[in-house]
Amino acid sequence: MPAPDLLTGSDTQIPDTATLLAAAVASIGGAERPGQVQMARAVEKAIGSGEHLAAQAGTGTGKSLAYLVPAIRHAVDQQTTVVVSTATIALQRQLVERDLPRLAEALGPMLGTELKFAILKGRRNYLCLHRVQTGVPEEEDGPSLFDPQQLSALGRQVKRLNEWAEETRTGDRDELVPGVGEQAWRQVAVTAKECLGAQRCPQGTECFAELARAEAGEAHIVVTNHALLAIDALEEFQVLPEHDVVIVDEAHELVDRVTSVATGDLSAAGVETAARRCGRLIEDAVADRLKEAAEGLGILLEELPQGRMDVLSSALGNTLATVRDATHACITALGPDKKDSDPGDMAARKAARSSLEDLHDTAVRMLEAFQPEMAQRFDVVWLEKPFVQEGRPKRPPALHVAPIGVGGLLRTTLFEQRTAILTSATLTLGGSFEPLARQWGLPSLEEGAPRDARTAAEGLARTATQKGEETEVVWSGLDAGSPFDHPKAGILYVARHLPQPGRDGLADAYLTEITELIEAAGGRTLGLFSSMRAARQAADELKDHLSHPLLCQGEDSTSLLVRQFTEDERTCLFGTLSLWQGVDVPGPSLQLVIMDRIPFPRPDDPVSSARSRAVAARGGNGFMSVAATHAALLLAQGAGRLLRSMDDRGVVAVLDPRLATARYGGFLKNSLPPFWATTDPDVVRGALRRLDTAAAEPS
């Protein structure tokens, strides 16, 4: 049925997706690309059929338009909302500040109505006007409160936030530049559980979060993030507007972001804060029980060894039970909220109840995590100990509990509820969509794959299938390709002659190799290291020996470092995993990407090791399903930094010889773009010198 024209009341026949896409591309002065057209058709088909789609589209394909145009057509035609979820703020801004405004202008006359779009984030991302006016219900103690210098800095940040509250139109934390620390932001923001609600809050009609939700509720396209998408799936209350289609861009990040949201934490400081929050609202004797529980938890966590916990000791079991029972007693003592309460009192009660309920549920979850047999567990528990910085702990010991797999959660809350399009430049690992599809909870497309191997990566996540209510989930994969001619534009160099990487930092042979590669390239190098320790070691030892400027992550803000790197073509920039997906530098400033080693997860990483064990328990290959998949994804993301425009040329150098010699090397190399490959150091140095000479010549 055609969409009604909201202005004239007449019906407008919306053009087909191909026509809209052509108009959109023409409006920005571009040219349609085969991969973009192919992906747009596939997205349109998925939306129409309800069949999920995993679409890989390389840099330069124009994937944003490829999914936005059919999404817009569907939303306008059906008068509904399509949710677009991203992993990074940069992509959110690109969509809301550039892509969608352009599409609204170009397609508006053809759609017969004004295209409405909005951005929506979690409530804690918006400044709370009531919190600004009343202050926090109970000041949270922390290391900075005992440090006059840090306390003064915190005070200055809070003062700045109060001034910003008078002028901001959105209250969106990301629009505050420069930003403030987490402790300062906590003074002016609330969680969904702490919120009084628009009806009860004196500032309800002006609430930034409520205004953002109202705008999103009327939008055709709502842009959000993976974290909020996960919260919408996990919480009992609805966060996102009603929608029948969700597009997950940067889908390679989905599992990690959902896992992070689904992770619970328990520390003595957190329990102590909850006890203080409820201390003035209930009888002292009840609150004192929780304070004693906090003290006992703190003493025990100092004594226990760091790392994953496979067995619940009697001491920890008793301590967790004490926290559980003490928080429950405090919740009972608080009683129900009183509708006629003073807003300030109600806010204090909300904050206290929120803290208590989170602690209670986390303690229960940790106790229950150990109950099933090892191979049947849903969650993994581990203890993280503080590291000492300048003679004092940076943070206290904390227990964490995380899901071993999120595939079941995604299946029941995402794939069985609405149509999903998952897209990224990196979705096929080892040449297949299967590794990531298993983690998402999608069924295998490969004929004859044993069921245990297919579902093992889900880590026995709770799914509807356990209740005998299996819903068929159908999906397809599309590789829209890349506009780049990878074998002609780039070289993959593996330093096969180097020793295997060790645990004691970068060997001298590695530092020599890095130096020779950078000198051959004339600078122009992005060094991506598997740890901050390695990045700093390389930077410290090479700065005085290189002929070119060298910057290292942490010396300044990442955005400023990237700007310096981009503007001075001969500058080098070293960093770690957090840089791998955040650097977009087309042109001669980046002609060499160095990766020091295959980025496997640490052997003692609690979540990865638990997932690997769960896969093995079900007959799968834990190493390939977890560690190798993790490494392949990061390698592909790192290699993807090299070619960002059609004129780019360069080298991706992996110093870890295992990429050429290990049995799993083929899987990892098949996850990378199809560069021309060599292990000859002389060949690659010669190529880098020629690239440097060409880049230095006047155009």
Side-chain angles (χ1 to χ4, degrees), residues 560-576:
L560 184 59
L561 291 173
V562 171
R563 188 185 315 149
Q564 291 178 255
F565 174 61
T566 305
E567 292 174 353
D568 184 350
E569 291 184 4
R570 295 200 175 278
T571 294
C572 304
L573 174 59
F574 287 2
T576 186

Side-chain angles (χ1 to χ4, degrees), residues 25 57 61 178 188 267 380 426 447 452 456 465 470 480 558 631 641:
V25 173
T61 304
V188 298
S267 68
V380 57
T426 310
E447 293 294 330
D452 281 348
T465 58
E470 183 166 357
T558 300
R641 300 308 94 199

Side-chain angles (χ1 to χ4, degrees), residues 248-331:
V248 182
D249 202 342
E250 301 175 310
H252 60 279
E253 289 263 29
L254 183 61
V255 168
D256 284 348
R257 299 303 174 98
V258 174
T259 300
S260 178
V261 171
T263 298
D265 309 296
L266 195 64
S267 68
V271 179
E272 175 64 28
T273 295
R276 287 200 314 275
R277 282 186 167 184
C278 67
R280 303 180 196 172
L281 306 171
I282 61 177
E283 293 181 5
D284 290 344
V286 181
D288 286 345
R289 282 181 58 189
L290 190 57
K291 291 179 183 177
E292 292 171 3
E295 184 178 350
L297 179 65
I299 293 171
L300 180 63
L301 296 189
E302 290 288 354
E303 297 173 349
L304 291 175
Q306 176 174 276
R308 191 185 74 206
M309 296 180 171
D310 293 332
V311 178
L312 180 64
S313 67
S314 58
L316 181 58
N318 290 335
T319 300
L320 289 175
T322 300
V323 172
R324 176 198 62 194
D325 296 342
T327 51
H328 184 269
C330 290
I331 293 170

Side-chain angles (χ1 to χ4, degrees), residues 593-645:
V593 175
I594 296 176
M595 292 185 270
D596 66 326
R597 64 190 299 159
I598 298 171
F600 292 119
R602 290 169 53 99
D604 59 354
D605 180 88
V607 178
S608 294
S609 60
R611 286 176 174 169
S612 181
R613 183 176 60 189
V615 172
R618 281 161 194 78
N621 186 322
F623 172 77
M624 292 302 297
S625 293
V626 181
T629 295
H630 173 92
L633 186 58
L634 291 178
L635 279 175
Q637 284 290 311
R641 300 308 94 199
L642 181 67
L643 303 183
R644 309 303 294 179
S645 72

Side-chain angles (χ1 to χ4, degrees), residues 514 518 523-529 532 535 538-539 543 546 548-566 568-576 579-580 582-585 589-590 592-594:
I514 293 170
I518 290 176
R524 315 178 192 278
T525 300
L526 177 64
L528 299 175
F529 295 82
M532 199 63 236
K543 267 188 177 179
L546 289 174
H548 309 288
L550 174 57
L551 306 172
C552 187
Q553 186 178 355
E555 294 175 349
D556 211 322
S557 70
T558 300
S559 59
L560 184 59
L561 291 173
V562 171
R563 188 185 315 149
Q564 291 178 255
F565 174 61
T566 305
D568 184 350
E569 291 184 4
R570 295 200 175 278
T571 294
C572 304
L573 174 59
F574 287 2
T576 186
L579 265 184
W580 287 30
V583 177
D584 186 3
V585 181
S589 291
L590 175 50
L592 172 61
V593 175
I594 296 176

Side-chain angles (χ1 to χ4, degrees), residues 155-234:
R156 288 193 299 271
Q157 289 185 349
V158 173
K159 181 176 183 292
R160 180 166 162 249
L161 284 168
N162 280 272
E163 293 170 349
W164 181 64
E166 298 292 330
E167 60 188 47
T168 178
R169 297 179 60 186
T170 65
D172 186 338
R173 181 179 183 178
D174 292 328
E175 294 184 8
L176 179 66
V177 179
V180 297
E182 182 62 27
Q183 190 167 9
W185 185 254
R186 281 204 303 263
Q187 315 300 307
V188 298
V190 299
T191 65
K193 292 180 179 179
E194 294 172 330
C195 176
L196 296 178
Q199 301 302 318
R200 297 182 179 180
C201 179
Q203 282 75 37
T205 58
E206 303 170 278
C207 175
F208 293 122
E210 292 296 329
L211 291 174
R213 292 183 192 291
E215 185 179 4
E218 298 178 357
H220 297 109
I221 305 294
V222 172
V223 178
T224 188
N225 54 56
H226 295 352
L228 197 62
L229 192 68
I231 291 170
D232 190 60
L234 288 165

